[in-house]
Amino acid sequence: MQITVEKKGETARLVLNGRFDFSSHREFRNACDEALQTPEIKEIEANFSRVDYLDSSALGMLLLLREKAQNANLKVSLTNCTGLVQQVLDVANFQRLFTIS
Amino acid sequence: MDKPLNILVVDDTEPNLALISAFISRLGHTTILARNGQEAVDFYRDSVPDMVLMDVMMPVMDGYQATAEIRKLAGNKWVPVIFLSAKAQDSDLVRGLQVGGDDYLTKPINLPILQAKIRAMQRIAEMQRDIAEKAEQLELYHAENEREQNLAKHLLERIIRAHKPNDPMVEQLVLPATRFSGDIIATEFTPNNILHVILADSAGHGLSAALNVLPVVEVFYGMTKKGYSLSTIVRELNSKIKQLMPTERFVAAALAAINFSERTIEVWNGGMPTAYFVDDKGKIMREWRAAHPPMGIMNNVDFLSKTETFQWNEPGRLFLYSDGLVEAENDAGERFGTDRVLQALKEECDQGQFWYLIAAANQFMGLDSATDDISIAAIHCPMAPVGEVIVQPEQPSATPVEPSESRLALKLSPLELKSFDVLPWLITWLNQLHFNQRQCQEMFLILSELYNNALDHGVLALESGLKHQEDGFGRYLDMREERLVGLQHGAIEIELERVQENQVPCLKLRIRDSGKGFHADAILNTDISSSTRPAGRGIVLVKTLCAEVKYPGCGNEVIALYRLQ
């Protein structure tokens, strides 16, 4: 998976591209750290418009991001979730944990 | 300076031997001298040199044969052999290499080239030795790993009771993608004959996923046997997993409590695919979507243990399965998908849809090649109650019951009535009094029947007739929940006491509720064999287990006497 980090004002947008599974572990962590370590960032948006698959380890990585963001008082949202991505997030009831659109 | 080598020099001409050995000694190496091929083989066997310089034409045994013999002796160990020969044809060189030589120098020997060749061979030999050592380590590691994995598998299977015989009502299949399964199915009856089932899928697969399900099965079996409700068990599982596992690990699970005499199924679904109740004709009567996140994510305050209950009026099966089934792909990269699951469940077939579903999945993608763990469970739900306590004539107990005067009394106010799982707590106390397993089970049954009556029909004033009307069960449950949540006043008092009645040790149980009471006589005089499924069946069952059951007042107080001998 490829991830680009777009920082604009107080928001960091992580644009994810491809299959989000265990092999994306390092890239995802690096992208999260980049966003978390930028002092002016108040909100992280993970954009799923170009993600065609995510597995349970991807859900685990999102939980880690949520924990780190909570510790730093940042908001996390998951955006452009459609198709299979939306189904997986629905079954896991992640709307109870994240703002999802 | 290179590491000194021990070099076997083979030549039948003394001046050649002298020249080469003197030169090699100057390079800092030691030599062994052999004068024909046979000597070379013998010396090799005795002293295993690091390298061989081999003449070709010699008496007794020539250099080709000697090299072939040395190769045989060396086995897997690589010893460089350099031919030194006056024979300079290409065909000689080829033959030398074919029998196992590594290089070929023609005589007269150019000493600087010989030195360079020795050094090159030494480098290769060292590399070879390195690789051989690593290969050996790897092999040891592999064997060790194999042993440890076998032990881990053995232990895990014991802990999750993989070999526990199936309950006859349960059909199940777990197909691990690797040696270890992150999916488990466990079933156990509560003391009052409610079947608890869990199908859990730990994130990931392999050993680490399998480890995650260990605390799950331990808690599930332990709490079910003690009679805890599904909600209490799920809450405990969630907090246990959250406490034990790192943030990114969680366990998706569907749990069900099946009450065969009430014909009800209570389900909690956290992050698992939709569960279905399918009747024997293949009609889907009820579905339970994932209503909660998987276990181990929410903290205790935000965790919801709310379950959803269904009463079946046609015989059928409850189906639970993991996402490995839905997401399994065939060779063309298509997923099995929910639609195919539903299609298979809708088939009416003699052996039941469980095997039909497995056959369909197997035909679609070949179940043995799955990349994720797959698990499927079907629980058969017939119309006639199963597993009900069969009342046997009292067996005289071999060991006399020790006399005791212990007494436990407690009062529950609305706060506790709403949330406290009181029965397992009472059973724990009874267990301390050293009753046998059958006695504990029967006492649990008596307690749970009488307590639930006191709560539902006493404090909450629910009409039991409602349950048995058409579609009444759902309304009954809704009303029960509504009244319980809004409960402001009311209480239940429970008293358990060891007494002697006519010199027989007994447990006396008294439950009093704040309700209006009811006319108990009609029910108490019903014969159990004639009561098909009317209101009050529970009380009749209690009566058959007890020496005496009476309602001394207006019906809001019951006293039951259970003989311990």
Side-chain angles (χ1 to χ4, degrees):
Chain A
M1 188 175 70
Q2 291 172 329
I3 307 175
T4 49
V5 182
E6 298 169 2
K7 284 182 271 193
K8 199 173 159 191
E10 295 188 337
T11 306
R13 177 185 291 170
L14 315 183
V15 183
L16 317 173
N17 197 334
R19 279 176 74 92
F20 190 4
D21 56 20
F22 186 74
S23 62
S24 329
H25 185 75
R26 187 183 301 257
E27 286 146 294
F28 188 74
R29 192 186 53 199
N30 291 346
C32 291
D33 287 349
E34 186 183 338
L36 288 161
Q37 282 156 16
T38 310
E40 61 269 23
I41 297 296
K42 297 268 181 290
E43 188 172 349
I44 297 177
E45 175 198 327
N47 188 311
F48 282 82
S49 60
R50 276 174 248 157
V51 176
D52 41 37
Y53 174 83
L54 83 164
D55 70 357
S56 62
S57 54
L59 296 179
M61 289 182 247
L62 291 173
L63 292 174
L64 275 178
L65 167 62
R66 174 172 171 265
E67 186 181 62
K68 286 184 188 172
Q70 273 176 347
N71 293 341
N73 266 323
L74 302 186
K75 273 194 272 186
V76 180
S77 61
L78 315 180
T79 63
N80 291 76
C81 305
T82 54
L84 193 66
V85 171
Q86 191 182 13
Q87 282 175 32
V88 172
L89 294 173
D90 272 355
V91 169
N93 279 269
F94 266 35
Q95 75 279 1
R96 298 261 308 275
L97 306 159
F98 295 91
T99 311
I100 298 180
S101 60
Chain B
M1 176 68 194
D2 293 330
K3 206 178 123 212
L5 300 175
N6 190 18
I7 299 180
L8 174 62
V9 185
V10 192
D11 205 307
D12 60 337
T13 322
E14 281 302 331
N16 277 350
L17 269 185
L19 171 72
I20 295 170
S21 74
F23 176 68
I24 287 174
S25 302
R26 268 218 308 284
L27 295 177
H29 305 301
T30 56
T31 55
I32 309 165
L33 304 180
R35 282 152 184 94
N36 61 54
Q38 186 58 57
E39 270 187 33
V41 175
D42 293 342
F43 292 168
Y44 179 86
R45 189 185 291 119
D46 294 344
S47 43
V48 193
D50 302 308
M51 194 179 292
V52 183
L53 302 179
M54 181 75 81
D55 188 15
V56 175
M57 289 178 300
M58 291 176 292
V60 189
M61 185 190 282
D62 70 11
Y64 296 136
Q65 201 189 334
T67 301
E69 295 283 327
I70 286 172
R71 280 277 173 261
K72 263 191 249 162
L73 283 175
N76 284 333
K77 185 174 185 280
W78 182 68
V79 184
V81 176
I82 303 174
F83 279 107
L84 308 176
S85 174
K87 298 180 80 176
Q89 299 283 326
D90 281 352
S91 59
D92 299 324
L93 190 147
V94 168
R95 181 154 182 223
L97 297 180
Q98 270 171 353
V99 298
D102 297 295
D103 211 335
Y104 202 99
L105 285 178
T106 50
K107 288 178 183 172
I109 301 297
N110 177 328
L111 291 175
I113 289 187
L114 177 61
Q115 179 181 5
K117 295 268 181 191
I118 289 173
R119 187 167 286 171
M121 286 296 158
Q122 188 176 10
R123 272 205 307 274
I124 296 172
E126 272 163 14
M127 239 149 68
Q128 287 274 357
R129 204 168 35 242
D130 245 31
I131 291 170
E133 263 170 30
K134 289 211 166 76
E136 197 182 340
Q137 279 173 1
L138 207 60
E139 213 165 288
L140 281 174
Y141 172 78
H142 188 256
E144 179 69 25
N145 187 45
E146 194 74 4
R147 266 200 305 279
E148 287 187 344
Q149 291 220 345
N150 283 336
L151 175 66
K153 186 174 162 62
H154 178 89
L155 276 177
L156 285 172
E157 283 177 351
R158 290 298 148 102
I159 297 172
I160 68 168
R161 305 170 184 46
H163 305 296
K164 178 174 175 250
N166 271 6
D167 287 308
M169 310 315 288
V170 182
E171 295 162 299
Q172 54 172 290
L173 178 77
V174 178
L175 288 170
T178 65
R179 189 181 313 203
F180 298 102
S181 178
D183 280 12
I184 51 117
I185 297 172
T187 60
E188 184 65 83
F189 276 93
T190 64
N192 53 336
N193 279 310
I194 292 168
L195 177 66
H196 282 182
V197 181
I198 183 170
L199 192 149
D201 175 0
S202 167
H205 47 257
L207 181 57
S208 64
L211 281 176
N212 290 349
V213 298
L214 288 186
V216 175
V217 284
E218 280 304 293
V219 170
F220 173 81
Y221 282 125
M223 290 182 77
T224 297
K225 276 196 210 131
K226 289 194 180 107
Y228 283 96
S229 68
L230 209 58
S231 293
T232 310
I233 296 175
V234 168
R235 183 169 288 283
E236 175 64 21
L237 283 173
N238 180 69
S239 97
K240 192 101 187 170
I241 297 166
K242 183 150 179 68
Q243 174 208 337
L244 289 177
M245 290 182 202
T247 309
E248 71 275 19
R249 292 289 189 165
F250 51 81
V251 178
L255 285 90
I258 297 124
N259 184 330
F260 291 104
S261 51
E262 296 273 351
R263 295 200 313 267
T264 59
I265 300 176
E266 187 187 2
V267 172
W268 186 92
N269 183 348
M272 290 296 276
T274 306
Y276 296 100
F277 183 85
V278 188
D279 76 9
D280 285 350
K281 296 191 186 71
K283 192 168 171 213
I284 290 172
M285 305 299 287
R286 175 72 189 247
E287 59 173 47
W288 288 268
R289 290 171 180 279
H292 309 277
M295 302 186 299
I297 297 175
M298 308 301 283
N299 60 40
N300 208 18
V301 179
D302 297 327
F303 181 80
L304 298 177
S305 58
K306 187 172 158 38
T307 57
E308 291 169 53
T309 304
F310 164 75
Q311 185 177 42
W312 71 88
N313 291 309
E314 296 290 336
R317 283 175 174 76
L318 170 69
F319 278 89
L320 309 171
Y321 53 93
S322 64
D323 62 0
L325 175 66
V326 192
E327 290 179 8
E329 291 181 356
N330 65 6
D331 293 337
E334 287 174 280
R335 299 160 148 253
F336 188 63
T338 311
D339 289 347
R340 284 192 184 83
V341 173
L342 286 173
Q343 200 57 46
L345 294 184
K346 281 176 187 159
E347 292 292 332
E348 190 177 351
C349 61
D350 296 339
Q351 299 93 346
Q353 299 95 339
F354 177 75
W355 294 106
Y356 195 89
L357 175 62
I358 286 166
N362 197 27
Q363 196 183 359
F364 180 75
M365 70 253 173
L367 285 171
D368 46 358
S369 61
T371 52
D372 191 7
D373 303 326
I374 293 178
S375 51
I376 309 170
I379 295 94
H380 182 45
C381 302
M383 292 306 280
V386 290
E388 205 154 82
V389 173
I390 297 154
V391 185
Q392 297 157 345
E394 288 253 334
Q395 298 280 335
S397 171
T399 48
V401 177
E402 302 256 344
S404 160
E405 290 184 352
S406 70
R407 191 172 77 94
L408 176 79
L410 77 159
K411 179 177 176 179
L412 305 170
S413 62
L415 181 68
E416 296 81 34
L417 292 172
K418 283 176 195 181
S419 62
F420 183 41
D421 214 349
V422 69
L423 296 172
W425 190 82
L426 291 175
I427 283 297
T428 308
W429 183 75
L430 288 173
N431 275 332
Q432 309 300 316
L433 304 182
H434 307 295
F435 301 135
N436 67 36
Q437 199 189 344
R438 177 168 161 228
Q439 289 172 330
C440 282
Q441 209 163 343
E442 290 181 352
M443 284 186 284
F444 191 98
L445 202 103
I446 296 163
L447 264 170
S448 69
E449 284 295 343
L450 297 180
Y451 177 79
N452 287 332
N453 276 346
L455 180 61
D456 284 20
H457 308 311
V459 175
L460 300 178
L462 292 159
E463 288 290 336
S464 71
L466 180 61
K467 261 200 269 190
H468 305 285
Q469 291 168 16
E470 207 182 326
D471 295 332
F473 192 77
R475 279 187 289 142
Y476 180 89
L477 283 182
D478 289 345
M479 217 187 271
R480 184 182 189 277
E481 191 183 331
E482 194 184 313
R483 290 189 188 177
L484 192 58
V485 169
L487 189 67
Q488 301 277 350
H489 308 286
I492 294 179
E493 290 167 47
I494 303 169
E495 199 178 304
L496 300 171
E497 188 177 8
R498 276 288 313 274
V499 294
Q500 295 285 120
E501 283 278 324
N502 305 324
Q503 276 88 53
V504 179
C506 289
L507 183 84
K508 187 168 151 193
L509 164 70
R510 190 179 74 91
I511 294 185
R512 182 190 162 93
D513 64 66
S514 57
K516 288 203 294 276
F518 74 112
H519 297 294
D521 293 348
I523 290 169
L524 283 176
N525 295 329
T526 313
D527 175 13
I528 189 166
S529 57
S530 72
S531 68
T532 44
R533 195 186 294 278
R537 182 184 169 81
I539 295 176
V540 178
L541 191 65
V542 169
K543 201 184 135 201
T544 61
L545 293 173
C546 292
E548 191 186 353
V549 179
K550 59 183 179 191
Y551 286 80
C554 63
N556 71 337
E557 180 180 2
V558 58
I559 294 172
L561 207 61
Y562 179 82
R563 292 157 72 109
L564 295 168
Q565 216 159 41

